[in-house]
Amino acid sequence: MTKARKTNVADMTAVELSHLFETKKLSPVEATKASLERIAKCNPSVNAYCFVAEEDALNAAKESEKRWFKGEPLSKIDGVTSSIKDLTLVAGWPHRSGSLTSSENLANVDAPFSQKMRQAGAVILGKTTTPEFGWKGVTDSPLTGVTRNPWNTTLTSGGSSGGAAAAAALNMGVLHQASDAGGSIRIPASFCGVFGIKPTFGFVPQWPASAMTTLSHLGPISRTVQDSLLMMDVIAKPDLRDWYSTRIFDGSWSDQKKLPLKGLKIAYSPTLGYIDVDAGVLKLVDCAVNALKEMGAEVDLIDPGFKDPIDTFSTLWFAGAAKVVSTFNEQQRVLLDPGFLQIGIEGSKIDIVDYMKASDQRAELGRSMQEFHSKYDILITPTLPRTAFKAGQNTESAYQEHWTDWTPFSYPFNLTQQPALSIPCGVLDGLPVGLQVVADRGNDLLAISIAKYIEDLIPTQFLDAPRS
């Protein structure tokens, strides 16, 4: 299918912008102004950005313009507009984490992610919203309010990287940093109709360490797969500040071609054996999987064989919340999101023996998935059982107690530290549906190949303004 040539700079991808910068048909300053105008137009309706640094962005764009003019760009994303989630340090900018308990003091150092983006010449526009300390699967906080879904602003964007996903859906900046300790890249990517990947744990360095420790991965959200790969070229490099950071893949992420589907063994698990999924969601995911089968992939309808690991995950998650809450006095605790405070209190009651048992259960789940991937290259599931629900509430219905009740496909693969991504696979009743691709640890490029095939098969619909 021939893609129409874009003429609106604000709608362009990183790939397109980089080419235009190289051929001197467009300036990074023009691209940055277009992104800032899109933010001014759209952000009031969705609340994706909690901080915009217009002057800093334009200054960075001017420096990028000089480099491209001399033919000396720092990277392929030099001059491309981007954002950082407000859980990550950016030197000279506020670091609030969505919390009224935070200080208005400016950060004095870049986190590895911010540093690598700046060193690559990316133009960072500002910081995107997060629930308080990234604690849940929707994005609202006592500090910044409710972040809304661009496809329907009465609905949630998902979370905790809901600001990044909403910004990507509207191209309020092109490349967006996100984090995922229980689904926080994939959930909002699915709800907002964009691409997001949680890379293998350790591929993208994280410092300071997340409160959720080794559950937490950093990664990109963007409109297209290739744009995220350009970002991975920059961010997937070790940093001495993160003891867990590693390098398994030394090549260029963005130069990798799609791997052949013929002979590839795909396990398709529409429910993981225990999840109730909306029939419309299943139909769209089924269609995408069938298309892969028709193109030569070997597809088996099979579950990976584990029981819902919610108790294991909750033990580790609540303990992480308890660690954060323990740093606050009584006056500060009154300011916290009540839901976050509650799981912190519950986490403080977890016995050390129970915590260690949860760690053992996690290790067993990881072992079982490694064994599973000795038989299957890829696992495909829906990203979420349903489409987006009403904004401003933590759960889909009153019958659900925690955000994990409606995100059962995502958190298992934080426990196992595997690469897992969400790619749009269609629209149901006016709302995007995401398909999740999971690979064995270190096999991120295999999952990305599947995402590229689906992206080609099912062209993503993009928005230029929020819908109400």
Side-chain angles (χ1 to χ4, degrees):
M1 187 179 79
T2 302
K3 295 182 180 179
R5 182 176 178 273
K6 297 190 188 82
T7 56
N8 187 343
V9 175
D11 289 327
M12 291 181 178
T13 66
V15 172
E16 292 165 335
L17 289 172
S18 185
H19 173 70
L20 292 174
F21 296 161
E22 183 178 20
T23 56
K24 298 181 175 60
K25 293 179 181 179
L26 184 71
S27 158
V29 175
E30 294 173 280
T32 299
K33 288 180 177 178
S35 289
L36 290 168
E37 288 170 5
R38 180 64 64 87
I39 292 172
K41 172 186 172 185
C42 299
N43 197 57
S45 298
V46 295
N47 189 32
Y49 279 87
C50 55
F51 176 77
V52 178
E54 183 171 341
E55 184 177 349
D56 287 357
L58 289 170
N59 287 338
K62 290 172 185 176
E63 292 302 312
S64 176
E65 181 181 61
K66 293 176 186 176
R67 292 190 292 270
W68 279 108
F69 185 77
K70 291 189 293 185
E72 299 175 353
L74 297 173
S75 73
K76 293 177 183 178
I77 64 168
D78 198 337
V80 177
T81 54
S82 62
S83 74
I84 298 292
K85 184 177 178 180
D86 194 27
L87 293 178
T88 299
L89 295 170
V90 180
W93 289 6
H95 180 66
R96 305 300 304 272
S97 300
S99 181
L100 291 171
T101 65
S102 61
S103 166
E104 294 184 9
N105 293 339
L106 306 182
N108 58 14
V109 64
D110 278 329
F113 201 115
S114 311
Q115 182 184 64
K116 292 178 191 303
M117 291 293 284
R118 281 178 159 170
Q119 289 174 342
V123 174
I124 306 176
L125 300 168
K127 302 190 84 173
T128 54
T129 53
T130 174
E132 193 164 38
F133 303 109
W135 82 271
K136 59 184 176 180
V138 294
T139 301
D140 60 70
S141 78
L143 179 67
T144 60
V146 178
T147 297
R148 299 178 180 276
N149 194 314
W151 290 76
N152 182 333
T153 54
T154 67
L155 305 179
T156 181
S157 63
S160 65
S161 306
L170 294 164
N171 230 31
M172 294 191 289
V174 182
L175 306 174
H176 304 275
Q177 183 246 350
S179 60
D180 187 319
S184 292
I185 289 175
R186 292 157 289 156
I187 295 165
S190 181
F191 275 179
C192 293
V194 292
F195 174 78
I197 180 170
K198 174 184 77 71
T200 293
F201 180 78
F203 272 14
V204 180
Q206 184 170 190
W207 178 88
S210 166
M212 304 309 173
T213 62
T214 58
L215 291 171
S216 181
H217 305 224
L218 300 185
I221 287 180
S222 61
R223 282 187 164 189
T224 68
V225 177
Q226 193 63 20
D227 279 4
S228 279
L229 297 185
L230 287 175
M231 204 169 173
M232 287 294 290
D233 281 339
V234 169
I235 61 175
K237 298 174 182 177
D239 188 285
L240 292 175
R241 292 170 287 179
D242 181 0
W243 180 71
Y244 291 110
S245 67
T246 185
R247 181 194 294 273
I248 297 176
F249 173 66
D250 278 321
S252 166
W253 292 73
S254 61
D255 288 344
Q256 299 300 308
K257 304 300 181 185
K258 288 185 293 190
L259 300 173
L261 281 177
K262 189 173 181 180
L264 196 70
K265 300 199 72 174
I266 295 176
Y268 174 38
S269 178
T271 69
L272 289 181
Y274 54 83
I275 299 167
D276 177 29
V277 184
D278 179 87
V281 169
L282 281 179
K283 184 177 180 180
L284 289 173
V285 178
D286 284 347
C287 287
V289 173
N290 286 334
L292 294 173
K293 186 175 182 179
E294 290 173 2
M295 293 176 67
E298 297 179 21
V299 178
D300 287 344
L301 189 65
I302 187 171
D303 300 321
F306 57 77
K307 296 179 181 179
D308 186 355
I310 183 59
D311 291 341
T312 301
F313 179 79
S314 294
T315 296
L316 302 176
W317 190 261
F318 289 11
K323 182 173 70 172
V324 177
V325 171
S326 71
T327 65
F328 300 124
N329 60 37
E330 290 303 317
Q331 289 74 28
Q332 291 173 311
R333 292 186 182 196
V334 173
L335 302 175
L336 294 172
D337 182 321
F340 178 63
L341 176 61
Q342 182 58 40
I343 68 166
I345 292 171
E346 291 182 37
S348 69
K349 300 173 184 176
I350 294 172
D351 182 83
I352 186 61
V353 173
D354 290 335
Y355 183 89
M356 295 307 296
K357 285 180 179 178
S359 297
D360 289 344
Q361 291 158 4
R362 177 186 190 180
E364 175 57 24
L365 178 61
R367 185 209 60 77
S368 70
M369 283 307 299
Q370 282 197 169
E371 183 177 339
F372 183 78
H373 282 293
S374 70
K375 302 170 186 174
Y376 292 97
D377 301 300
I378 289 291
L379 170 66
I380 291 180
T381 75
T383 305
L384 290 164
R386 285 162 186 76
T387 52
F389 53 85
K390 186 178 178 181
Q393 56 191 47
N394 292 346
T395 58
E396 181 185 14
S397 76
Y399 299 103
Q400 296 170 329
E401 184 178 4
H402 297 295
W403 64 269
T404 45
D405 292 337
W406 55 269
T407 61
F409 287 109
S410 59
Y411 56 78
F413 306 109
N414 291 84
L415 290 167
T416 61
Q417 302 184 335
Q418 295 172 252
L421 62 83
S422 181
I423 182 78
C425 66
V427 175
L428 176 64
D429 297 329
L431 295 173
V433 171
L435 174 151
Q436 179 173 237
V437 183
V438 182
D440 198 8
R441 286 189 301 174
N443 282 345
D444 302 50
L445 292 173
L446 191 55
I448 288 164
S449 281
I450 299 297
K452 285 183 175 181
Y453 279 110
I454 293 170
E455 184 178 49
D456 290 342
L457 289 165
I458 309 168
T460 306
Q461 298 180 35
F462 295 129
L463 307 175
D464 59 9
R467 298 176 179 175
S468 56

